[in-house]
Structure formats: C-alpha cells, structure tokens
Amino acid sequence: MSFREEKKSSSDLLMKVGKKDYATRNAVPGIRVYGEKLVSVNGEEYRVWDPHRSKLAAGFANKLLLSLSPNYVVLYLGASTGTTVSHIADLVPKGFVFAIDSAPRVMRELLQLTKQRSNIAPILANASHPTELASRLSMVDFMYQDIASKDQVRIFVECMKLFLEKNGTAILCLKARSIDVTAKPVVVFERAAKELAAEVTVVQQLLLGAYYPDHCLFVCKHSRVH
Amino acid sequence: MQHMLGFSGTIEICLRKAKLPEYFSRFRELNLALSLKEFHATPADIILVQAIRAGEELECSMKQLFSRLREWYGWFAPLDVPLTIESLCLNVKSAIPSSQFAVSDVAEMNALAERLLNISNEVSTHQEYVYSRLGELMPATVAIATPRLAARLLCHTGSLRRLALMSSSTIQLLGAEKALFRHLATGAKSPKYGFLIEHPLVQQSQNKGREARRLAGKIAIAARTDFFRTAPLVERAV
Ligand SMILES: C[S@@+](CC[C@H](N)C(=O)[O-])C[C@H]1O[C@@H](n2cnc3c(N)ncnc32)[C@H](O)[C@@H]1O
C-alpha cells in the first residue's frame, strides 16, 4: 500500500501541510512536545513534523515508502527526548509505542511525554543486548532504529529477528560518521546495505538529502523463507 | 536483568492478537516503573556534575559582580578601590552620599554589595559541599589531583565511569582539545597539558609536560580505583 492510499484509509492522521511539510494529528490537543507549530486542518489540530528535527519526517519529504496503520505496535530504538516518538504515537492512536533509550538524561523528557500519552512505554535500557529486552516488549508491526553506535546494524538485525512480526516493516536510520569517520558515506552505506541484505530484505534505501547530509534510511522486511 | 511481566506465552499471544488495551497499559505501567527505578539508580557522581557546574556559575557571577561594583564604586572614590570583595563591600557600606551620589545611588550600591557578599558566601559553602561529596565519591582521585582539579575532570568527562575508562594520555590532554585538534589538523605544536596545569606539581615543575604526563598516569590509576571500588558488578564487566 502506498503512502498516499494509507493517508485516506487511516483517517488522515498524517497530513501534508504547505508544500513539503507533514503534520500529525495531535493526540493531545493544545499540547506541544518540542515547540513545534500547531495548525488546524478541518477543525482538527495537527502538529507540524519538522524534517529538520526528525529523520523520519525528512524521509517522508524524500519519498519514503511507509504506511503505519492506527493500530500498529511500534518499537523505537534510540528514542532520545521523543521528538519523533511523539509523532509516531500520534500515528498509532489505537496502537502502542515501545520507546527505548539508554541515556537517563533524555529519558527525563521521555517520561514527561509518557505522562501525556497513554500509548507510549518508556524503556531506559541499552539496546546492545536485544535478548535482555525481551521481557519488556511484545512483538511489533513496525520498528525504527536511530542510535549512533558502531554495531547498529547488528543490533538492528537482531531486534528485527526477535521482535518484528512476520509481515512487519523496519527502518534503520544510519549515520555514516558513527560507523566510520574516515570512510566516504556512500561506502559506509554500501557496506551496511550488503550486511543487511545478508540477513533481511532491503525494500528501499533512501538518502535524506540536505536535511541530513550523511544519513541514510534502510526500509527492511523479513526475507521470505521458501 | 530479568523482568517478568507476568504473561505466559499462549495468553500473551492471544492478548496480543486481540490488541487488548489492558495488555498494553500493563506494559506501559511496568516499563514506566522499571525505567523510573533505573533512572533513580543514576550514580551520584553524574548528578554531582550539576552541583559542580552550579559552583562554576556562581563563581563566574561573583567575579562579574565584583568587577562591576569596583567599576561603579570607582566613580565614587577613585583613589581607594579595594582589591578584595570583603573590603570593597565594607567601603561601599560606609560610603557617604555626596552632591554627585544621592542617597538613593548609595543605597542601591549598598544593596549590590550585600548581594555580592551573599554570593561570595554561597560560593564558599557550595564549594565545601562539592569538595566533601567529591571526597566521598572519588577519594583517591581527589587525593592525587586536588579537589578543584578532580571537580574539573569529573565535570568535563561527565561521569566517574568515563574518567576511569580513559587512558592516561587522554587525561593528560583533557581541556586542551582545541590545541590537540589544531595539532592533528595543521601539525601545529602538540599540547602537553590541559586542566592539569592547575595542579601545583605541574605549575612548579621545570618540565611541565613531563610532570603532567606523570600526574595523568597517577590520576588514571586513582580514578580506576575509585570507580571499581563502588561500581556495581554489571558496570565492572564493561
Ligand atoms: C540521534 S538520537 C535519536 C533522535 C531521535 N531518533 C529523534 O529523531 O528524535 C540517538 C539516541 O540513541 C541513544 N542510544 C545510543 N546508543 C544506544 C543503545 N545502545 N541503546 C539504546 N539507546 C542508544 C542515545 O542515547 C540517543 O538519545
């Protein structure tokens, strides 16, 4: 299902506002999460999703093929202060978001966010050892990972195998410099793509353009076993 | 870590399939509780960094206000502007209004002097607090590096853990990052010390680079002693 069709079927939780920007229907009307703009569309309040602040928003601005159903269960690795998490939570009002981060400092903001929204579980934990997370999660329909660690590809693949439903979608957000400072980004991306392809199916590989010059999104699915 | 959420496998699958709200609200509650527990287990040294920063900010305000008050009082008594906070404030308080300085001018200058004295006291008591906490949390490092330098290093690295895992050559150059990167980029002279120049042993030495290297080695050992003395087992297994 293309993103456009999804827009209709999920009763406009994600809207295009203005030329390029997207916005998500605010699950907690009147409340801003990180100083984003609030706009009203057809009498409903939307939070503008700034592509400069969120790589997933930059992905949508760059033709990311992704559709989230309102009842999706989501695993978010590297939740940080919850900028992107908040928009995803807007998109799955009947679903749920497991938001993981290892830094206590950013967890403070995430706890605040959780207080306002009932469909987020904050998890202060290191994702390097995915099996240790098992008792705190359920299986998920969508997984998103944005952590700047050297072994992020391994973590991503392990988490996919452990927590992603058979038909689920997973996105890895890769920052070239956090894998190898000296190599050219294209080289790092190519290497990561190969590493991923050995384990899963990469359905889309997407550069984020001027928003995040040395970042790349990999949209992945489980490989079919015949 | 083993956290049981209290669902057996089959039941979990059923609940999950049905996407029952109760199932997820339970997940939310339990994860929230576990995360809060973990959050409150943050080591004291990480939290002490806030106090150290506050101390630096207090000291900075004190210096700024002091030089402002000297500047102001200088228009009142140009021949006699004291060099210490205490005597400056004393002078300000005994200032007598003149044709140039009305009663309200002097009163306001007095109020500022009062505030400055308060901040100056606060700086000392705050420093006593920080040094005594440092003494509890990293006694070996404090003994080797002096409390002031230990505070600097902790503040700069963010945690005792990070300091303890640093090589002594890194510690030697903490605070000299700019010069180090300039050295790496342009081949300019490499720095020999950063914060360590504050230490009396380095300051008094003829060969400051060598002394800084020696001191860095000792600080590295001290920091590890401090960290591994108290770190929980999981942390030690890094
Ligand atoms: C670049 S930020 C993510 C920003 C976020 N995705 C957003 O768009 O709002 C990366 C986060 O990953 C977290 N992180 C890094 N390594 C991690 C690990 N091994 N496990 C869990 N979180 C990790 C960091 O604490 C940091 O907050």
Side-chain angles (χ1 to χ4, degrees), chain A residues 53-55 76-85 100-103 106 125-128 144 146-149 155:
Chain A
R53 303 279 303 264
S54 166
K55 289 152 214 160
Y76 194 115
L77 299 142
S80 190
T81 54
T83 306
T84 306
V85 171
I100 299 185
D101 204 290
S102 58
V106 300
N126 194 323
S128 309
Y144 182 85
D146 178 11
I147 61 176
S149 89
I155 296 174

Side-chain angles (χ1 to χ4, degrees), chain B residues 191-234:
Chain B
K192 297 192 170 58
Y193 37 75
F195 297 134
L196 265 52
I197 189 65
E198 278 182 27
H199 197 280
L201 279 179
V202 180
Q203 261 171 22
Q204 287 153 20
S205 171
Q206 296 297 316
N207 189 338
K208 294 190 166 53
R210 190 179 60 194
E211 195 52 49
R213 178 155 38 86
R214 211 156 24 191
L215 180 63
K218 288 183 193 156
I219 291 174
I221 295 168
R224 284 166 214 176
T225 312
D226 287 332
F227 176 66
F228 289 107
R229 184 179 58 101
T230 56
L233 262 173
V234 256

Side-chain angles (χ1 to χ4, degrees), chain B residues 69-88:
Chain B
L69 188 60
R70 286 196 77 225
E71 196 66 27
W72 192 2
Y73 181 73
W75 289 108
F76 182 84
L79 296 179
D80 181 25
V81 186
L83 287 166
T84 66
I85 291 178
E86 286 70 28
S87 44
L88 175 67

Side-chain angles (χ1 to χ4, degrees), chain A:
Chain A
M1 197 192 298
S2 85
F3 166 63
R4 213 153 300 229
E5 288 163 62
E6 181 60 28
K7 229 172 68 175
K8 273 183 239 138
S9 65
S10 65
S11 61
D12 296 336
L13 291 167
L14 185 66
M15 278 282 224
K16 210 159 179 176
V17 292
K19 254 206 180 117
K20 262 187 159 172
D21 283 348
Y22 286 92
T24 58
R25 192 159 81 206
N26 196 352
V28 197
I31 306 278
R32 286 186 178 82
V33 174
Y34 55 98
E36 71 280 21
K37 245 194 249 158
L38 300 178
V39 295
S40 168
V41 184
N42 307 330
E44 300 265 17
E45 185 178 284
Y46 282 75
R47 298 190 302 121
V48 176
W49 198 355
D50 186 351
H52 294 280
R53 303 279 303 264
S54 166
K55 289 152 214 160
L56 195 54
F60 281 128
N62 282 289
K63 304 200 168 63
L64 170 67
L65 298 172
L66 173 72
S67 58
L68 298 178
S69 302
N71 65 347
Y72 267 13
V73 179
V74 177
L75 170 57
Y76 194 115
L77 299 142
S80 190
T81 54
T83 306
T84 306
V85 171
S86 69
H87 287 286
I88 293 182
D90 276 348
L91 293 175
V92 295
K94 294 190 198 118
F96 198 73
V97 185
F98 294 99
I100 299 185
D101 204 290
S102 58
R105 174 62 193 89
V106 300
M107 187 52 61
R108 245 155 68 177
E109 258 106 323
L110 208 57
L111 292 169
Q112 287 293 319
L113 188 68
T114 312
K115 254 173 64 184
Q116 295 160 5
R117 288 159 190 265
S118 56
N119 64 340
I120 302 175
I123 303 182
L124 175 53
N126 194 323
S128 309
H129 308 291
T131 44
E132 284 175 13
L133 301 171
S135 58
R136 298 179 73 167
L137 305 177
S138 73
M139 294 295 280
V140 302
D141 308 290
F142 173 59
M143 195 183 114
Y144 182 85
Q145 178 178 311
D146 178 11
I147 61 176
S149 89
K150 270 214 168 110
D151 56 349
Q152 52 188 292
V153 177
R154 172 195 62 86
I155 296 174
F156 180 75
V157 170
E158 275 183 32
C159 283
M160 260 185 91
K161 292 192 168 163
L162 280 168
F163 306 121
L164 189 69
E165 294 274 14
K166 218 166 64 197
N167 291 317
T169 306
I171 293 183
L172 170 65
C173 174
L174 198 87
K175 182 179 176 189
R177 252 184 305 147
S178 66
I179 299 243
D180 189 336
V181 218
T182 53
K184 277 205 183 113
V186 253
V187 178
V188 177
F189 297 150
E190 224 159 83
R191 234 186 287 151
K194 253 196 209 139
E195 222 177 304
L196 284 169
E199 304 274 354
V200 299
T201 304
V202 180
V203 295
Q204 190 187 13
Q205 183 176 337
L206 181 78
L207 291 171
L208 296 181
Y211 294 116
Y212 297 92
D214 69 338
H215 285 71
C216 184
L217 295 185
F218 297 88
V219 185
C220 301
K221 294 242 173 208
H222 286 302
S223 299
R224 296 239 178 280
V225 189
H226 293 290

